[in-house]
């Protein structure tokens, strides 16, 4: 679970996978829900938890497939990064985030939560998985936050485009990238956690040290239980209408 610290500039950045595999609705145990629907419900719950337990914290969102959609706390227009040369070049990517997203985390979650929840959609799951570029963008948004700020990754797949490519089908395994990310996160006192729906091999041997060495966690999100929770919530909303 997300450990809460009552400090004003503790920051949280949620990375939400919207690649093609997240849109499937025919997988066992999901009750006709897509993985994206399941994770959206999970993230919304986490946002509400933070409002209750740490209302002064700053929370940002980044959606990723083959494009990064950097929402931040929603107080500035969404920044879209989809140039392949940028996604493959850390220096270009970091410069783009620094230039366009420097005011992306300025408001406490108690003020931004309604806007963030409205922003999170459970449709439009397409294309590849730029997880590596999303991690770099997330780390940049977290710079300047207090010790214990967190990068929370929600995914079901394998990074297969841009820096950090782990696509074995293409003969690539950029493990060094994740080692460097681990060092950067530790130096910045950022905790990295991965929440994974158990649908694909997410190269756990890469993420286990990344999460443990930054004092984060590696968790499987049980799809069947969350799908059931979504159905219960839907029924309660129907009764309230």
């Amino acid at each position: 679970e997300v450990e809460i610290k009552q400090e004003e500039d503790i920051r949280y950045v949620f990375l939400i996978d919207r690649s093609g595999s997240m849109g499937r609705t025919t997988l066992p145990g999901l009750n006709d829900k897509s993985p994206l629907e399941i994770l959206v419900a999970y993230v919304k719950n986490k946002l509400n938890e933070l409002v209750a337990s740490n209302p002064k914290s700053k929370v940002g969102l980044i959606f990723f497939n083959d494009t990064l959609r950097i929402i931040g706390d929603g107080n500035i227009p969404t920044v879209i990064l989809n140039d392949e040369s940028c996604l493959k070049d850390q220096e270009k990517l970091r410069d783009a985030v620094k230039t366009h997203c420097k005011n992306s985390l300025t408001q406490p979650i108690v003020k931004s939560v309604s806007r963030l929840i409205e922003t999170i959609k459970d449709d439009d799951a397409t294309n590849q998985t730029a997880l590596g570029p999303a991690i770099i963008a997330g780390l940049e948004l977290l710079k300047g936050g207090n010790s214990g700020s967190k990068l929370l990754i929600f995914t079901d797949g394998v990074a297969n485009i841009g820096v950090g490519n782990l696509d074995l089908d293409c003969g690539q395994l950029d493990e060094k990238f994740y080692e460097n990310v681990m060092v950067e996160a530790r130096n910045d006192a950022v905790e990295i956690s991965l929440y994974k729906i158990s649908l694909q091999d997410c190269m756990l041997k890469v993420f286990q040290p990344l999460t443990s060495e930054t004092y984060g966690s590696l968790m499987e999100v049980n799809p069947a239980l969350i799908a059931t929770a979504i159905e219960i919530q839907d029924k309660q909303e129907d009764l309230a209408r």
Side-chain angles (χ1 to χ4, degrees):
E1 291 298 315
V2 177
E3 182 184 351
I4 305 304
K5 293 185 179 181
Q6 277 285 357
E7 295 184 37
E8 186 164 347
D9 206 15
I10 288 288
R11 301 184 182 189
Y12 301 79
V13 172
F14 291 71
L15 307 184
I16 303 173
D17 184 352
R18 299 181 75 165
S19 59
S21 61
M22 294 291 289
R24 296 176 293 173
T25 58
T26 58
L27 296 163
L30 302 192
N31 299 342
D32 296 322
K33 301 289 185 180
S34 71
L36 183 57
E37 288 178 276
I38 291 167
L39 285 185
V40 162
Y42 198 70
V43 170
K44 286 181 178 179
N45 182 59
K46 289 295 182 187
L47 292 176
N48 285 319
E49 284 182 10
L50 285 171
V51 171
S53 57
N54 197 357
K56 293 183 178 181
S57 62
K58 297 182 177 72
V59 179
L61 304 177
I62 298 176
F63 301 139
F64 64 95
N65 46 18
D66 60 353
T67 296
L68 300 188
R69 291 176 174 84
I70 304 174
I71 308 296
D73 62 20
N75 79 90
I76 65 172
T78 298
V79 174
I80 296 177
L81 300 178
N82 57 9
D83 182 86
E84 190 171 352
S85 65
C86 179
L87 298 180
K88 289 183 175 181
D89 186 318
Q90 277 200 58
E91 185 174 348
K92 285 184 179 179
L93 179 58
R94 290 180 188 273
D95 286 345
V97 176
K98 290 173 184 176
T99 299
H100 301 294
C101 305
K102 58 185 177 181
N103 295 315
S104 290
L105 278 182
T106 60
Q107 295 189 351
I109 183 63
V110 70
K111 291 185 177 180
S112 64
V113 64
S114 297
R115 183 169 58 241
L116 290 176
I117 288 177
E118 179 64 26
T119 300
I120 304 175
K121 305 297 182 182
D122 57 15
D123 55 2
D124 192 29
T126 58
N127 300 321
Q128 294 175 283
T129 309
L131 175 56
I135 290 173
I136 293 299
L139 288 174
E140 287 296 328
L141 291 191
L142 290 170
K143 290 188 183 299
N146 285 341
S147 174
S149 292
K150 301 177 188 295
L151 186 67
L152 308 170
I153 306 167
F154 298 82
T155 185
D156 79 328
V158 175
N160 57 16
I161 186 171
V163 294
N165 196 324
L166 295 174
D167 190 350
L168 290 174
D169 291 338
C170 297
Q172 302 180 62
L173 192 62
D174 192 359
E175 293 187 56
K176 185 65 176 176
F177 168 83
Y178 295 95
E179 293 175 11
N180 292 337
V181 163
M182 179 181 68
V183 172
E184 178 179 350
R186 289 180 64 175
N187 288 340
D188 291 344
V190 168
E191 300 174 20
I192 298 178
S193 292
L194 175 68
Y195 297 81
K196 173 185 176 290
I197 288 183
S198 53
L199 301 176
Q200 298 182 25
D201 178 5
C202 201
M203 305 306 293
L204 295 185
K205 71 174 184 178
V206 171
F207 285 99
Q208 282 171 340
L210 177 61
T211 55
S212 64
E213 292 295 326
T214 60
Y215 304 100
S217 58
L218 179 60
M219 296 177 58
E220 283 199 356
V221 178
N222 187 314
L225 292 180
I226 295 177
T228 301
I230 293 172
E231 288 191 345
I232 292 172
Q233 181 178 351
D234 289 344
K235 289 177 182 177
Q236 290 175 339
E237 289 177 354
D238 288 340
L239 290 172
R241 290 191 182 102

